[in-house]
Structures are given as C-alpha cells and as structure tokens.
Amino acid sequence: MKQFIHSISCAAALLALAAQSAFAGNGFPKDSAVVMNNILTRTSIRKFEQRPVEQSKVLALLRAGMAAPTARDRRPWHFVVLNDTADIHAYAATMKHHGEMVAQTPLVIYACGDTTMMMPGQARDFWVEDVSCASENILLAAHAMGLGAVWTSVYPEARKVKGVSQALHLPGNLIPLNCILIGYPDEAPQPKDKWDEDKITWWKAK
C-alpha cells in the first residue's frame, strides 16, 4: 500500500511540475505558477501516517490562518489546537460520529469565532466569512508543507456546536466553525477539476 501511494504521489508530483510549466508558459510568473499549482492540486485527506506534525509547522499553519482577510480588521478568529496523542484520544472518545477518524489524526485544529471580536448588528455574521478565509489558508498552507488536511463542518448545526463546545470546555465567547484534521498523508486521492465556465457570468452594463 505504501509503495502504491508513493507511486501515485510521484505521478502527482510530475503532473504538478507539468502544471507549473503550463502556468509559467501562459503569462504566470514562476512564483505565481507555484501558488496556482498549490491551489489546484490540494485535495481533502482523511487518512494520516501515525507521526506527529512538527511544532514549527503547527505554528506556520496558525500564522497562515491569521494572515487571512478580515472585515474591518476585527480578526474574530480563535484556534483550539489538539496535538498531543493522549488529548486527541480523550477528545475522540466523547464523539458520537467520526471519533475513530479523529483518534487517528496527529493534529486537530478547531477554528472558532470569538463573539467579543464580532461586529454589531447584521454585520456580526461576517465572522463566518473571516474564519472561513482563515481555515482555507490553513488548508492551503498544509498542502504546501507536504501535509494533508480536511475541513469538517460544525457551525451552524446547533447540536454539533453544543457537543464540541461541551467536549472542549470552550468558554461562552467561542463558537466552533469547523474542525480541521491535519497530518502527513497516508492516501493520495487525485485532485478534482472543478472548472466550469457555466458558473461564470461576464457582466456588462446595459
């Protein structure tokens, strides 16, 4: 299985190099081609090798998350990190669903919204956009560092929010938006080509 994954990974790497060359040959500067390739080759990874993610990489992921755009610079994000095997197993044991998958994950990050940093009135819900942007940054950074990751949703399902909040003993000002599972990949799914011109409208003034 390991040899098969290695072969698939090598093939994917060759395709990535070809993609980089294609971007570079179509008006993309070299660095831009690398960025575009990282975006287009990212996939959701749900199976991980049983080895820890280095602390330097954990901090780099969190730094990437906090570099996200945020409405009026409110930065309403807060990240709850589980990177100790015993802690992850203890938490996974409280889960009714996906507990086994979480227990096999070396790094778990809950991306939360901090109600004390949210804007008033109808603008309050901008926190969802801000924390989502931060989460996507983490997913892309993980892929760039040779890690795999998957976003699993929590908010706005009330039962999930309540369950996670109770299990993690979150203070009342934190709302968990999602759970990001991260580690070194133990599978190699192929990226999906999601390009669809039918989903584009080239608007022009009448």
Side-chain angles (χ1 to χ4, degrees):
M1 184 63 178
K2 294 282 186 181
Q3 291 179 337
F4 172 74
I5 290 175
H6 177 70
S7 298
I8 292 296
S9 298
C10 289
L14 291 173
L15 287 172
L17 288 173
Q20 289 180 25
S21 298
F23 290 132
N26 283 282
F28 286 92
K30 183 178 179 181
D31 290 346
S32 298
V34 172
V35 172
M36 286 296 295
N37 177 69
N38 189 62
I39 293 171
L40 296 178
T41 59
R42 190 209 65 80
T43 61
S44 293
I45 301 295
R46 296 174 173 83
K47 294 181 181 179
F48 307 99
E49 294 180 4
Q50 295 307 296
R51 58 171 167 140
V53 177
E54 298 88 339
Q55 183 68 4
S56 60
K57 290 190 176 182
V58 177
L59 293 174
L61 291 171
L62 296 170
R63 181 176 289 274
M66 295 186 198
T70 165
R72 299 186 185 176
D73 201 26
R74 296 302 288 261
R75 311 178 200 181
W77 45 61
H78 188 96
F79 303 97
V80 178
V81 182
L82 293 75
N83 63 344
D84 177 82
T85 301
D87 291 337
I88 292 172
H89 285 177
Y91 170 69
T94 70
M95 301 180 69
K96 294 182 179 179
H97 305 285
H98 308 302
E100 183 176 348
M101 182 171 69
V102 171
Q104 299 301 313
T105 303
L107 173 63
V108 179
I109 297 178
Y110 273 92
C112 305
D114 184 345
T115 60
T116 67
M117 301 303 295
M118 296 175 189
M119 289 191 282
Q122 291 183 330
R124 179 182 188 274
D125 284 343
F126 284 154
W127 77 268
V128 176
E129 299 172 22
D130 292 350
V131 179
S132 293
C133 288
S135 299
E136 180 68 3
N137 274 13
I138 290 173
L139 294 176
L140 291 172
H143 182 47
M145 289 189 281
L147 300 167
V150 63
W151 167 321
T152 61
S153 297
V154 180
Y155 182 89
E157 287 193 51
R159 64 176 182 83
K160 287 186 178 181
V161 172
K162 181 179 180 180
V164 169
S165 297
Q166 290 179 341
L168 293 177
H169 309 292
L170 297 182
N173 62 301
L174 295 185
I175 303 173
L177 177 73
N178 61 49
C179 172
I180 305 174
L181 307 180
I182 305 170
Y184 285 95
D186 198 20
E187 61 177 347
Q190 290 299 298
K192 298 175 183 177
D193 184 355
K194 300 175 185 178
W195 172 255
D196 185 352
E197 291 190 58
D198 291 336
K199 296 185 180 294
I200 302 172
T201 297
W202 300 100
W203 187 86
K204 292 184 181 297
K206 295 182 180 178

